[in-house]
Amino acid sequence: MKKTICFLLLLMGCAISFAQSSPSNGMQIFIDSLLQKMTLEEKVGQMNQYNGFWEVTGPVPNEGNAKLKYEHLKKGMVGAVLNVKGTANVRKLQEIVVKESRLGIPLLFGFDVIHGYKTITPIPLAEAASWDLEAIEKSARIAAIEASAVGINWTFAPMVDITRDARWGRVMEGAGEDPYLGAKIGVARVKGFQGQDLSSSNTIAASVKHFAGYGFAEAGRDYNTVDVGTSTLYNIILPPFKATVDNDVKTVMNSFNTLNGIPATGNKFLQRDILKGKWNFKGFVVSDWGSGAELITHGFAKDLKEVAILSANAGSDMDMESYAYVTHLKEMVEAGKVDIAVVNDAVRRILQVKYELGLFADPYRYCDAQREKDLLYHPNHLAAALDIAKKSIVLLKNIKTTGQGNPLLPLNKNQKNIAVIGALANDKNSPLGSWRVGSDDNSAVSFLEGFKKYNSNFVYAKGADLVNGPTDFIHEVKINETDKSGFAQAIALAKKSSVVIMVLGEHGFQSGEGRSRSKLDLPGVQEALLEEIYKVNKNIVLVLMNGRPLAITWAQEHIPAILEAWQLGTQTGDAIAQVLFGDYNPSAKLPMTFPRSVGQEPLYYNHYSTGRPNTNDVVFWSHYSDESNEPLYPFGYGLSYTNFEYTDLKINDSDPSAIRVSVQVKNTGKIAGEEVVQLYLHDRVASVVRPVKELKGFKKILLHSGESTLVTFTLTNNELGFYNNEGVFVVESGDFDVMVGTNSIQGLSAVFTKK
Ligand code: GLC
């Protein structure tokens, strides 16, 4: 024991002295020296991640898996754990490894800090609707501060899976359908998590996921097959990953799906040729939960030994909960099936992240019980969560109803005789969304609680339950499909009210992992409730709380005011109230297309023309006989309580390497507002067909009533080029359409020629 402590002190001393010399070669020297001391078994141990297996303040596990894991912990055969939280637990586990294992290499503590830890911010799809990169980075920053305060030093975020199919449950976790917006947001999140100095005790390593293609699961069914062409892979799926790698993301998580027949965890092309080769990624790849062992179920590996061989050789550096590496990798190296260089490279990458986190200098830097007390739910975090929440709310519709001088929104703060209807209005849990494993149940400000702070002149009826029975992270949500017994009371209240606010949508556990839906309607009896209320009172404001685009076509045709309020996290009620009563003028824009019906899915704005995009009064063109091709709400769409006028679009291509586009934008309404000015390009003719339009720039501006400003963009080869089917980035001459406007279908257009 004494020897170990002396060695440890020596090791830590080295770490500190190396760090004081030039960091990078100090780190390499330190890691080289450590690698030389490690046995093969200890190296394999670094490549092994276990799920948290006991609350260490409890009795030491003495049976089954937990006993095995405990033994491995003491023998230095665990490199990381996940789902261990609380400085007491983290410190205890870290002490076991640092004091009892031979080399005392500290653990990484991973956790799904997806949109907040205790202070829960809006689901990522909602945050993406803000198009506010600063607010999004801030949201990740406060998540990192709270997570690190409870001992976590690694988050499995940001998820940057581009997706075009709202049936997929995990659309809530990403930034929607566009790679340009998705890349910007992914980088903002990485910067928020990792901060300026990864060795600081309030920054954590990020893990960009899921590499790659997971969002293209066939039919939107989670974990389903992914088969995509080269152009979609290189131009749609990969750019957000590459952007985060170019911005120093420390880890990458691979994915459950096959990509063109090869499971991502065993996919050498993805992990070695692209990620570590072309992109020169220096961090490490962690598998998704059990995705290594699933190579067997996919029919790609015959047993766990082959899993160890195929995954390690393909570049999956750390095995999360498959037990493949810890059970077989040493034997496979000794049998010559996996070269020791593969293991050394993986271990080097893992040790490097630990070094950069400062864990060798101080393994307990994330174990400060005082920070845990001081920082969770800090007022600054709650303020930031409220800010991003209100900026995520999309105004979808707001028109005058018959006999009304003004649109229903914003509501008058002295408005009397209001009815609020809907189970979600009184729900403090569902608005936290599905990926909130660190949160406290029922910790959201409910719609009613927020509303009441502005106006208590309302009556409430839930109208109908949304769910039947308890809900949790791992079981199906039982939706109330039949019980309308609460309708009568709600209808009676609506009849007597001057305005009705209906809060409808999905339960927080109806989206997220394993939560794909075959329909995109309002779940259960909610659509029926809405139509019944409409029969007795047409002055309805519909507030949606959902984790995916919904096909709310009837509502769009009948309901005068509609707010998309997603699942906004802890500050839900306050954020919605600020928008409803006009203290915040809604500014968000949809990051994902809303379809008219589920049959249109996958439906997205940056589609190809096809050879027959238009009818010629015959059926022989690309369409449905029973549905429009148009979306219900397009990508980039969102209204404001004021209006913006776009004029004077100009292109200056005197410098072909930096083509300047400018447009005048004026606030022609009566109140100040923010507008997301969007720039779309269409490369008319190319060696690989290009989408009819692609987002290539956006700026969020604030204009006061009557104020006008010139908004400029610069287009370089980065915006004009694309990846061809050999994966080579090319820029081709020819005509480009430019559209600058308020969403992906409304704006001013012009054309220029790239010489
Ligand atoms: C899950 C998810 C992944 C998550 C991991 C650890 O299955 O796919 O996103 O980070 O397991 O919880």
Side-chain angles (χ1 to χ4, degrees):
M1 183 60 176
K2 202 162 156 249
K3 192 174 68 168
T4 308
I5 289 173
C6 295
F7 176 70
L8 275 174
L9 290 173
L10 175 68
L11 199 63
M12 287 163 71
C14 291
I16 292 164
S17 62
F18 283 140
Q20 279 148 6
S21 62
S22 71
S24 61
N25 66 15
M27 173 171 67
Q28 293 315 331
I29 294 167
F30 174 78
I31 289 171
D32 287 344
S33 70
L34 183 52
L35 262 175
Q36 279 159 18
K37 297 181 182 68
M38 294 173 78
T39 65
L40 176 55
E41 186 170 68
E42 288 164 336
K43 289 177 182 176
V44 166
Q46 289 302 304
M47 299 168 72
N48 175 41
Q49 178 177 31
Y50 281 144
N51 186 39
F53 50 96
W54 103 93
E55 298 293 327
V56 287
T57 46
V60 171
N62 58 16
E63 57 190 32
N65 246 359
K67 180 175 190 309
L68 170 80
K69 291 179 175 183
Y70 179 55
E71 293 308 320
H72 284 167
L73 211 56
K74 290 195 289 183
K75 289 164 67 180
M77 290 171 65
V78 186
V81 292
L82 69 149
N83 294 329
V84 174
K85 56 191 180 185
T87 51
N89 283 332
V90 170
R91 178 177 289 277
K92 276 279 188 186
L93 277 186
Q94 199 69 294
E95 279 175 351
I96 293 169
V97 166
V98 170
K99 291 179 180 173
E100 298 191 37
S101 75
R102 188 176 75 90
L103 293 173
I105 299 172
L107 291 167
L108 288 172
F109 287 82
F111 202 87
D112 289 289
V113 187
I114 308 297
H115 55 105
Y117 180 71
K118 283 294 179 195
T119 302
I120 300 298
T121 47
I123 56 172
L125 188 64
E127 287 196 347
S130 74
W131 296 52
D132 185 329
L133 300 178
E134 203 177 306
I136 290 168
E137 180 175 340
K138 174 85 176 164
S139 172
R141 182 89 292 277
I142 64 172
I145 291 169
E146 293 199 358
S148 58
V150 296
I152 293 160
N153 49 42
W154 180 27
T155 181
F156 305 126
M159 183 270 225
V160 299
D161 303 321
I162 296 297
T163 180
R164 297 163 159 175
D165 196 323
R167 292 173 291 181
W168 191 46
R170 300 191 78 162
V171 299
M172 52 66 62
E173 192 176 350
E177 70 193 50
D178 181 75
Y180 182 88
L181 178 63
K184 297 285 185 189
I185 288 175
V187 169
R189 288 195 168 124
V190 167
K191 287 180 176 172
F193 289 129
Q194 298 188 166
Q196 300 298 319
D197 172 9
L198 197 62
S199 68
S200 155
S201 62
N202 72 5
T203 58
I204 58 179
S207 183
V208 67
K209 67 185 186 182
H210 303 80
F211 195 65
Y214 188 23
F216 278 68
E218 263 178 19
R221 204 174 76 227
D222 207 353
Y223 316 115
N224 203 4
T225 301
V226 174
D227 258 19
V228 291
T230 311
S231 188
T232 298
L233 178 64
Y234 276 105
N235 292 299
I236 304 293
I237 291 171
L238 293 180
F241 287 98
K242 184 177 189 303
T244 57
V245 168
D246 292 346
N247 282 274
D248 201 25
V249 69
K250 292 303 174 189
T251 75
V252 172
M253 180 183 288
N254 57 40
S255 57
F256 293 119
N257 56 284
T258 52
L259 177 70
N260 304 334
I262 311 285
T265 306
N267 197 310
K268 184 179 167 300
F269 165 71
L270 279 176
Q271 296 173 129
R272 290 211 183 279
D273 301 350
I274 298 285
L275 180 65
K276 296 175 179 178
K278 270 191 177 178
W279 297 353
N280 195 25
F281 173 62
K282 294 295 183 201
F284 71 85
V285 177
V286 62
S287 81
D288 201 338
W289 183 299
S291 64
E294 289 176 12
L295 299 188
I296 300 167
T297 349
H298 278 293
F300 188 70
K302 68 175 188 299
D303 55 27
L304 214 51
K305 286 181 180 176
E306 214 169 68
V307 167
I309 297 166
L310 292 170
S311 306
N313 286 334
S316 186
D317 301 310
M318 185 180 279
D319 170 12
M320 179 195 288
E321 276 290 323
S322 284
Y323 305 82
Y325 290 178
V326 73
T327 315
H328 297 297
L329 187 53
K330 173 172 179 289
E331 180 194 348
M332 294 302 108
V333 171
E334 287 160 350
K337 304 282 189 189
V338 176
D339 194 302
I340 185 63
V342 165
V343 170
N344 286 339
D345 176 65
V347 176
R348 174 182 298 282
R349 291 167 181 269
I350 293 163
L351 295 178
Q352 184 161 308
V353 173
K354 294 185 176 186
Y355 186 99
E356 290 182 283
L357 281 165
L359 290 173
F360 288 108
D362 175 8
Y364 307 106
R365 73 177 46 224
Y366 290 89
C367 302
D368 179 343
Q370 194 55 46
R371 285 186 74 234
E372 185 169 5
K373 282 199 192 72
D374 296 345
L375 293 172
L376 303 185
Y377 293 122
H378 189 282
N380 293 346
H381 302 169
L382 292 170
L386 175 56
D387 181 62
I388 183 84
K390 68 190 185 187
K391 290 176 175 174
S392 303
I393 296 171
V394 187
L395 179 60
L396 296 177
K397 187 177 177 186
N398 188 31
I399 61 168
K400 295 175 189 160
T401 52
T402 44
Q404 293 277 345
N406 289 310
L408 288 176
L409 296 177
L411 293 173
N412 183 319
K413 291 172 185 166
N414 303 314
Q415 171 84 39
K416 301 264 186 293
N417 201 13
I418 302 169
V420 177
I421 295 170
L424 285 170
N426 201 22
D427 191 323
K428 293 170 63 66
N429 220 15
S430 181
L432 297 172
S434 68
W435 255 133
R436 33 99 171 186
V437 283
S439 72
D440 294 319
D441 278 350
N442 297 308
S443 57
V445 175
S446 73
F447 174 89
L448 288 182
E449 289 168 334
F451 194 89
K452 214 173 282 180
K453 292 174 188 171
Y454 275 89
N455 184 324
S456 52
N457 300 312
F458 67 88
V459 290
Y460 171 67
K462 68 181 174 185
D465 287 319
L466 172 58
V467 297
N468 283 332
T471 59
D472 63 34
F473 184 64
I474 59 172
H475 295 104
E476 292 294 353
V477 177
K478 293 182 184 60
I479 297 296
N480 165 30
E481 302 285 0
T482 54
D483 180 1
K484 298 182 180 180
S485 57
F487 275 34
Q489 186 207 3
I491 291 165
L493 293 184
K495 262 185 186 159
K496 295 182 294 185
S497 301
S498 51
V499 64
V500 182
I501 300 168
M502 296 199 70
V503 184
L504 306 172
E506 295 180 316
H507 187 278
F509 287 127
Q510 281 190 271
S511 54
E513 184 176 353
R515 310 276 185 180
S516 296
R517 289 181 63 198
S518 69
K519 300 181 187 68
L520 294 175
D521 309 330
L522 285 170
V525 298
Q526 296 180 102
E527 188 81 29
L529 175 63
L530 179 63
E531 294 181 23
E532 286 305 313
I533 298 295
Y534 183 76
K535 286 176 187 169
V536 299
N537 193 326
K538 293 186 173 28
N539 292 332
I540 295 175
V541 176
L542 173 60
V543 176
L544 292 166
M545 289 189 185
N546 43 298
R548 58 163 50 83
L550 295 178
I552 50 161
T553 308
W554 184 90
Q556 168 53 27
E557 286 161 3
H558 296 85
I559 304 302
I562 305 174
L563 274 185
E564 173 53 76
W566 313 105
Q567 282 133 10
L568 294 172
T570 305
Q571 299 286 48
T572 292
D574 288 341
I576 298 173
Q578 286 201 16
V579 169
L580 279 178
F581 287 99
D583 278 356
Y584 181 75
N585 183 357
S587 62
K589 302 281 186 177
L590 294 178
M592 196 169 172
T593 300
F594 277 46
R596 295 177 173 282
S597 61
V598 68
Q600 292 178 296
E601 294 291 88
L603 183 68
Y604 48 98
Y605 86 96
N606 49 353
H607 58 78
Y608 296 142
S609 163
T610 77
R612 298 197 178 185
N614 304 309
T615 175
N616 300 306
D617 296 332
V618 295
V619 297
F620 310 117
W621 65 289
S622 182
H623 77 298
Y624 303 100
S625 54
D626 57 356
E627 182 56 276
S628 154
N629 284 352
E630 297 311 309
L632 185 64
Y633 304 113
F635 175 81
Y637 175 86
L639 303 176
S640 168
Y641 291 151
T642 188
N643 295 300
F644 297 98
E645 180 190 60
Y646 285 70
T647 56
D648 209 11
L649 174 62
K650 286 198 177 104
I651 296 174
N652 175 344
D653 57 2
S654 53
D655 175 357
S657 67
I659 297 164
R660 286 173 56 78
V661 179
S662 65
V663 68
Q664 200 67 29
V665 183
K666 181 176 183 181
N667 178 344
T668 55
K670 298 191 178 66
I671 60 170
E674 292 158 287
E675 169 70 337
V676 180
V677 180
Q678 303 156 46
L679 181 145
Y680 296 87
L681 275 187
H682 172 216
D683 183 348
R684 287 185 178 176
V685 178
S687 58
V688 178
V689 296
R690 308 301 308 129
V692 294
K693 63 187 70 163
E694 295 177 277
L695 180 73
K696 292 294 181 185
F698 64 88
K699 290 188 176 171
K700 188 161 190 175
I701 59 173
L702 170 65
L703 289 176
H704 293 282
S705 173
E707 187 184 0
S708 175
T709 189
L710 185 72
V711 179
T712 60
F713 298 91
T714 301
L715 299 175
T716 68
N717 285 348
N718 290 335
E719 287 74 42
L720 302 185
F722 63 93
Y723 286 93
N724 64 20
N725 283 351
E726 287 67 49
V728 177
F729 190 77
V730 296
V731 182
E732 297 178 353
S733 58
D735 292 345
F736 285 77
D737 295 302
V738 181
M739 186 191 82
V740 182
T742 187
N743 61 52
S744 59
I745 59 173
Q746 288 168 288
L748 301 178
S749 297
V751 62
F752 70 88
T753 302
K754 169 74 180 166
K755 295 174 183 63

